[in-house]
Amino acid sequence: MKKGPSHAKQSAVMKGLKEALRNEIDGAEFYRMAAGAARRDAVRQMYRFLMEEEERHRAAIVDQMQRMTEGKGMKFGRAASAKKALAKFKSPLLTDDLVKEGRQVEGEVAALSIGMTLEKRAIAQFIVLRKTAAGDARAEKVFSDLVAWEQDHLDVLMRHYDHLREMFWEEARFWPF
């Protein structure tokens, strides 16, 4: 009897990877457009950073799809240095003069919110794919790693969004409690 995931399971995982690939392409394009529309260099830097991250995700997913096509098990490698870079990433976006610009940064704030939505959607997709791959330990690990990668991006965006919101609240002397 042949060991490994069933053909139906492999087909479902491949279909899910194709959907995830489209999301990574969409995400990279969104961050590219957000960088192009940004009026501040610091904002452009942050969106370019996230765009490059999405492009690395795309390459990782294409690699997984190729491995599956070749009959190889899934395998995902992420350097520890990449995770550390994300954890330490501090955008030059969050400066005191940003608050003084008021309405001029509304687009950047909206883009942060949209980016958070994209990352949450990707996390949900990879969680579903991990469940679809249940029983294939290598595939489950790949999807767990991809969930963690997307969570890191969400954390970066949320950290900036929350900090920006607090800066505006402080400037307006408004606190909801």
Side-chain angles (χ1 to χ4, degrees), residues 143-162:
F143 293 126
S144 290
D145 289 347
L146 288 167
V147 165
W149 201 346
E150 298 293 352
Q151 184 64 52
D152 288 342
H153 292 171
L154 178 59
D155 292 345
V156 166
L157 290 165
M158 287 177 62
R159 191 168 61 233
H160 288 84
Y161 184 86
D162 290 344

Side-chain angles (χ1 to χ4, degrees), residues 65-151:
M65 293 170 73
Q66 183 65 37
R67 290 181 65 80
M68 287 183 72
T69 301
E70 294 170 357
K72 298 177 182 176
M74 295 180 76
K75 182 178 171 185
F76 183 72
R78 180 177 178 205
S81 60
K83 184 171 176 147
K84 286 180 184 176
L86 269 172
K88 290 180 181 179
F89 180 75
K90 180 166 175 30
S91 171
L93 167 66
L94 303 173
T95 61
D96 291 335
D97 69 321
L98 181 69
V99 175
K100 294 175 183 142
E101 293 181 12
R103 292 190 171 272
Q104 293 177 1
V105 296
E106 286 178 350
E108 284 87 357
V109 173
L112 284 170
S113 181
I114 292 167
M116 290 186 303
T117 299
L118 291 172
E119 299 300 339
K120 288 174 185 176
R121 182 176 71 181
I123 290 167
Q125 266 191 320
F126 290 131
I127 288 171
V128 168
L129 284 169
R130 184 175 56 203
K131 288 177 185 174
T132 302
D136 181 343
R138 290 175 88 177
E140 287 182 66
K141 170 122 176 55
V142 166
F143 293 126
S144 290
D145 289 347
L146 288 167
V147 165
W149 201 346
E150 298 293 352
Q151 184 64 52

